[in-house]
Amino acid sequence: MANAKVQGADGGGLQGKISFSVVIPVFNVEPYLGQCLDSMLPALRAEDEIILALRSSEDGSITIAEHYVQENGNIRLLRQDGIGLSNARNCAVREAYGTYLIYVDSDDRVDTAQFTHALQRIREDTSHIERRLQRASASSRPPTPTR
């Protein structure tokens, strides 16, 4: 298992609120990272967080990530020494404090208006998510033996 060190917000005081942890692996994405973060930040509330799972990049990704951490109280920088996208996500998930996880690639941009709308809908009513989770859970159980 890879080691990880977190820098930034601590997520304190979120009990009972719906919050989101946006997990973004970062490795050599200097041209895209700022645009990615700028497209998501307007949709997030103070109780939400972005976790930048950072591996030792060879470009300016680290500098950009550190700048956003300093400027935004809900962005955390997770320095991890593992290799690969899955490892970066797994390290970030272990540190996440949100009610729900969202995975975004660091070279992508989200439509800010649609992202805001989707998060608002979830905050207003989670029953549709709960129903899907219940169905998924029920369908993954082994069948009950009959006699």
Side-chain angles (χ1 to χ4, degrees), residues 85-128:
L85 188 61
S86 294
N87 182 72
R89 286 181 174 155
N90 290 337
C91 286
V93 166
R94 285 191 289 277
E95 299 295 330
Y97 57 75
T99 311
Y100 297 101
L101 291 170
I102 300 170
Y103 294 112
V104 176
D105 290 334
S106 51
D107 60 350
D108 291 339
R109 285 182 288 168
V110 300
D111 180 298
T112 304
Q114 288 184 0
F115 190 50
T116 301
H117 179 73
L119 298 183
Q120 184 60 36
R121 289 284 316 267
I122 294 168
R123 288 182 210 281
E124 291 171 357
D125 181 14
T126 61
S127 63
H128 58 287

Coordinates of all heavy atoms in Angstrom, one line a residue, residues 85-128:
L85 N -3.4 5.5 -11.6 CA -4.7 6.2 -11.3 C -5.5 5.5 -10.2 O -6.0 6.2 -9.3 CB -5.5 6.1 -12.6 CG -6.8 6.9 -12.7 CD1 -6.5 8.4 -12.5 CD2 -7.4 6.7 -14.0
S86 N -5.6 4.2 -10.2 CA -6.3 3.5 -9.2 C -5.7 3.7 -7.8 O -6.4 3.9 -6.8 CB -6.4 2.0 -9.4 OG -7.1 1.7 -10.6
N87 N -4.4 3.7 -7.7 CA -3.7 3.9 -6.4 C -4.0 5.3 -5.9 O -4.3 5.5 -4.7 CB -2.2 3.7 -6.5 CG -1.6 3.9 -5.2 OD1 -1.7 3.0 -4.3 ND2 -0.9 5.0 -5.0
A88 N -3.9 6.3 -6.8 CA -4.2 7.7 -6.4 C -5.6 7.8 -5.9 O -5.9 8.5 -4.8 CB -4.0 8.6 -7.6
R89 N -6.6 7.2 -6.6 CA -8.0 7.3 -6.1 C -8.2 6.6 -4.8 O -8.9 7.1 -3.9 CB -8.9 6.7 -7.2 CG -9.1 7.6 -8.4 CD -10.0 7.0 -9.4 NE -10.2 7.9 -10.5 CZ -10.6 7.6 -11.7 NH1 -10.8 6.3 -12.0 NH2 -10.8 8.5 -12.6
N90 N -7.6 5.4 -4.6 CA -7.7 4.7 -3.4 C -7.2 5.4 -2.2 O -7.7 5.5 -1.1 CB -7.1 3.3 -3.5 CG -7.9 2.4 -4.4 OD1 -9.1 2.6 -4.7 ND2 -7.2 1.4 -5.0
C91 N -6.0 6.1 -2.4 CA -5.4 6.9 -1.3 C -6.3 8.0 -0.9 O -6.5 8.3 0.2 CB -4.0 7.4 -1.7 SG -2.7 6.2 -1.8
A92 N -6.9 8.7 -1.9 CA -7.8 9.8 -1.7 C -9.1 9.4 -1.0 O -9.6 10.1 -0.1 CB -8.1 10.5 -3.0
V93 N -9.6 8.2 -1.4 CA -10.9 7.7 -0.8 C -10.7 7.5 0.7 O -11.5 7.8 1.5 CB -11.4 6.5 -1.5 CG1 -12.4 5.8 -0.7 CG2 -11.9 6.8 -2.9
R94 N -9.5 7.0 1.1 CA -9.2 6.8 2.5 C -9.2 8.1 3.3 O -9.4 8.0 4.5 CB -7.9 6.0 2.7 CG -8.0 4.5 2.3 CD -6.8 3.8 2.7 NE -5.6 4.1 2.0 CZ -5.3 3.5 0.8 NH1 -6.1 2.6 0.2 NH2 -4.2 3.8 0.2
E95 N -8.9 9.2 2.7 CA -8.9 10.5 3.3 C -10.1 11.3 3.2 O -10.3 12.3 3.8 CB -7.7 11.3 2.8 CG -6.3 10.6 3.0 CD -5.9 10.5 4.4 OE1 -6.3 11.3 5.2 OE2 -5.2 9.5 4.8
A96 N -11.0 10.9 2.4 CA -12.3 11.7 2.1 C -13.2 11.7 3.2 O -13.3 10.7 4.0 CB -12.9 11.1 0.8
Y97 N -13.9 12.8 3.4 CA -14.9 12.9 4.5 C -16.3 13.2 4.0 O -17.2 13.3 4.7 CB -14.5 14.0 5.5 CG -14.3 15.4 5.0 CD1 -15.3 16.2 4.6 CD2 -13.0 15.9 4.9 CE1 -15.1 17.5 4.2 CE2 -12.8 17.2 4.4 CZ -13.8 18.0 4.1 OH -13.6 19.2 3.6
G98 N -16.5 13.3 2.7 CA -17.8 13.6 2.1 C -18.7 12.4 2.2 O -18.4 11.3 2.3
T99 N -20.0 12.8 2.2 CA -21.1 11.8 2.2 C -21.0 11.0 0.9 O -21.2 9.8 0.9 CB -22.5 12.5 2.2 OG1 -22.5 13.4 3.3 CG2 -23.6 11.5 2.4
Y100 N -20.7 11.7 -0.2 CA -20.6 11.0 -1.6 C -19.3 11.3 -2.2 O -18.7 12.4 -2.0 CB -21.8 11.5 -2.5 CG -23.1 11.2 -2.0 CD1 -23.9 12.1 -1.3 CD2 -23.7 9.9 -2.1 CE1 -25.2 11.8 -0.8 CE2 -24.9 9.6 -1.7 CZ -25.7 10.5 -1.0 OH -26.9 10.2 -0.6
L101 N -18.8 10.4 -3.0 CA -17.6 10.6 -3.7 C -17.9 10.8 -5.2 O -18.8 10.3 -5.8 CB -16.7 9.3 -3.7 CG -16.1 8.9 -2.4 CD1 -15.5 7.5 -2.4 CD2 -15.0 9.9 -2.0
I102 N -17.1 11.7 -5.8 CA -17.1 12.0 -7.2 C -15.7 11.9 -7.7 O -14.8 12.5 -7.2 CB -17.7 13.5 -7.4 CG1 -19.1 13.6 -6.8 CG2 -17.7 13.8 -8.9 CD1 -19.6 15.0 -6.8
Y103 N -15.6 11.2 -8.8 CA -14.3 11.1 -9.5 C -14.2 11.9 -10.7 O -15.2 11.9 -11.5 CB -14.0 9.6 -9.9 CG -13.8 8.7 -8.7 CD1 -14.8 7.7 -8.5 CD2 -12.7 8.7 -7.9 CE1 -14.6 6.8 -7.5 CE2 -12.6 7.8 -6.8 CZ -13.6 6.9 -6.6 OH -13.4 6.0 -5.6
V104 N -13.2 12.7 -10.8 CA -13.0 13.6 -12.0 C -11.6 13.4 -12.4 O -10.7 13.4 -11.6 CB -13.3 15.1 -11.7 CG1 -13.0 16.0 -12.9 CG2 -14.8 15.2 -11.3
D105 N -11.3 13.3 -13.7 CA -10.0 13.3 -14.3 C -9.5 14.7 -14.3 O -10.2 15.6 -14.7 CB -9.9 12.6 -15.6 CG -10.2 11.1 -15.5 OD1 -9.9 10.5 -14.5 OD2 -10.7 10.6 -16.5
S106 N -8.2 14.9 -14.1 CA -7.6 16.2 -14.0 C -7.5 16.9 -15.3 O -7.2 18.1 -15.4 CB -6.2 16.2 -13.3 OG -5.4 15.2 -13.9
D107 N -7.7 16.2 -16.4 CA -7.6 16.8 -17.7 C -9.0 17.1 -18.3 O -9.2 17.4 -19.5 CB -6.8 16.0 -18.7 CG -7.3 14.6 -19.0 OD1 -8.2 14.2 -18.2 OD2 -6.8 13.9 -19.9
D108 N -10.0 17.0 -17.4 CA -11.4 17.2 -17.9 C -11.9 18.5 -17.2 O -11.5 19.0 -16.2 CB -12.3 16.1 -17.4 CG -12.0 14.8 -18.1 OD1 -11.5 14.8 -19.2 OD2 -12.4 13.7 -17.6
R109 N -13.0 19.0 -17.9 CA -13.7 20.1 -17.3 C -15.2 19.7 -17.2 O -15.7 19.0 -18.1 CB -13.7 21.4 -18.2 CG -12.3 22.1 -18.1 CD -12.3 23.3 -18.9 NE -12.3 22.9 -20.4 CZ -12.5 23.7 -21.4 NH1 -12.7 25.0 -21.2 NH2 -12.4 23.3 -22.6
V110 N -15.9 20.1 -16.2 CA -17.3 19.8 -16.0 C -18.1 21.1 -16.5 O -17.6 22.2 -16.4 CB -17.7 19.4 -14.6 CG1 -16.9 18.2 -14.2 CG2 -17.5 20.5 -13.6
D111 N -19.3 20.8 -16.9 CA -20.2 21.9 -17.2 C -20.6 22.5 -15.8 O -21.4 21.8 -15.1 CB -21.4 21.5 -18.0 CG -22.3 22.6 -18.4 OD1 -22.9 23.1 -17.4 OD2 -22.5 22.8 -19.6
T112 N -20.2 23.7 -15.5 CA -20.5 24.2 -14.1 C -21.9 24.2 -13.8 O -22.4 23.8 -12.7 CB -19.8 25.6 -14.0 OG1 -18.4 25.5 -14.3 CG2 -20.0 26.1 -12.6
A113 N -22.8 24.7 -14.7 CA -24.2 24.8 -14.5 C -24.8 23.4 -14.2 O -25.6 23.2 -13.3 CB -24.9 25.5 -15.6
Q114 N -24.5 22.5 -15.1 CA -25.0 21.1 -14.9 C -24.5 20.4 -13.6 O -25.3 19.8 -12.9 CB -24.7 20.3 -16.1 CG -25.5 20.7 -17.3 CD -25.3 19.7 -18.5 OE1 -24.5 18.8 -18.4 NE2 -25.9 20.0 -19.6
F115 N -23.3 20.7 -13.3 CA -22.7 20.1 -12.1 C -23.4 20.7 -10.9 O -23.7 20.0 -9.9 CB -21.2 20.4 -12.1 CG -20.4 19.7 -11.0 CD1 -20.5 18.3 -10.8 CD2 -19.5 20.4 -10.2 CE1 -19.8 17.6 -9.9 CE2 -18.7 19.7 -9.3 CZ -18.9 18.4 -9.1
T116 N -23.6 22.0 -10.9 CA -24.3 22.7 -9.8 C -25.7 22.1 -9.6 O -26.1 21.8 -8.5 CB -24.3 24.2 -10.0 OG1 -23.0 24.7 -10.2 CG2 -25.1 24.9 -8.9
H117 N -26.4 22.0 -10.7 CA -27.7 21.4 -10.7 C -27.8 20.0 -10.1 O -28.6 19.7 -9.3 CB -28.4 21.5 -12.1 CG -29.7 20.9 -12.1 ND1 -30.8 21.6 -11.6 CD2 -30.2 19.8 -12.7 CE1 -31.9 20.9 -11.8 NE2 -31.6 19.8 -12.4
A118 N -26.9 19.2 -10.6 CA -26.8 17.8 -10.1 C -26.6 17.7 -8.6 O -27.2 17.0 -7.9 CB -25.8 17.0 -10.9
L119 N -25.6 18.5 -8.1 CA -25.3 18.5 -6.7 C -26.5 19.0 -5.9 O -26.8 18.4 -4.8 CB -24.0 19.3 -6.4 CG -22.7 18.8 -7.0 CD1 -21.6 19.7 -6.6 CD2 -22.5 17.4 -6.8
Q120 N -27.1 20.0 -6.4 CA -28.3 20.6 -5.7 C -29.4 19.5 -5.6 O -30.1 19.4 -4.6 CB -28.8 21.8 -6.4 CG -29.9 22.5 -5.7 CD -29.6 22.9 -4.2 OE1 -28.4 23.3 -4.0 NE2 -30.5 22.8 -3.3
R121 N -29.7 18.8 -6.7 CA -30.7 17.8 -6.7 C -30.4 16.7 -5.7 O -31.3 16.3 -5.0 CB -30.8 17.2 -8.1 CG -31.4 18.0 -9.2 CD -32.9 18.2 -9.1 NE -33.7 17.0 -8.8 CZ -34.2 16.1 -9.7 NH1 -34.0 16.4 -11.0 NH2 -34.8 15.1 -9.4
I122 N -29.2 16.3 -5.6 CA -28.8 15.3 -4.6 C -29.0 15.8 -3.2 O -29.5 15.1 -2.3 CB -27.4 14.8 -4.8 CG1 -27.3 14.0 -6.2 CG2 -26.9 13.9 -3.7 CD1 -25.9 13.7 -6.6
R123 N -28.6 17.1 -2.9 CA -28.7 17.7 -1.6 C -30.2 17.8 -1.2 O -30.6 17.6 0.0 CB -28.1 19.1 -1.6 CG -26.6 19.1 -1.6 CD -26.2 20.6 -1.5 NE -24.9 20.8 -2.2 CZ -23.7 20.5 -1.8 NH1 -23.6 19.9 -0.6 NH2 -22.6 20.8 -2.5
E124 N -31.1 18.0 -2.2 CA -32.5 18.2 -1.9 C -33.2 16.9 -1.6 O -34.1 16.8 -0.8 CB -33.2 18.9 -3.0 CG -32.8 20.4 -3.1 CD -33.3 21.0 -4.4 OE1 -33.9 20.3 -5.3 OE2 -33.1 22.2 -4.6
D125 N -32.8 15.8 -2.3 CA -33.5 14.6 -2.2 C -32.6 13.4 -2.6 O -32.2 13.2 -3.8 CB -34.7 14.6 -3.2 CG -35.5 13.3 -3.1 OD1 -35.4 12.5 -2.2 OD2 -36.4 13.1 -4.1
T126 N -32.2 12.6 -1.6 CA -31.4 11.5 -1.8 C -32.1 10.2 -2.0 O -31.6 9.1 -2.1 CB -30.4 11.3 -0.7 OG1 -31.1 11.1 0.5 CG2 -29.5 12.5 -0.6
S127 N -33.5 10.3 -2.0 CA -34.3 9.0 -2.0 C -34.0 8.2 -3.3 O -34.0 7.0 -3.2 CB -35.8 9.3 -1.9 OG -36.2 10.1 -3.0
H128 N -33.8 8.9 -4.4 CA -33.5 8.1 -5.6 C -32.2 7.4 -5.6 O -32.1 6.3 -6.1 CB -33.6 9.0 -6.9 CG -32.6 10.2 -6.8 ND1 -32.8 11.3 -6.0 CD2 -31.5 10.4 -7.5 CE1 -31.8 12.1 -6.2 NE2 -31.0 11.6 -7.0

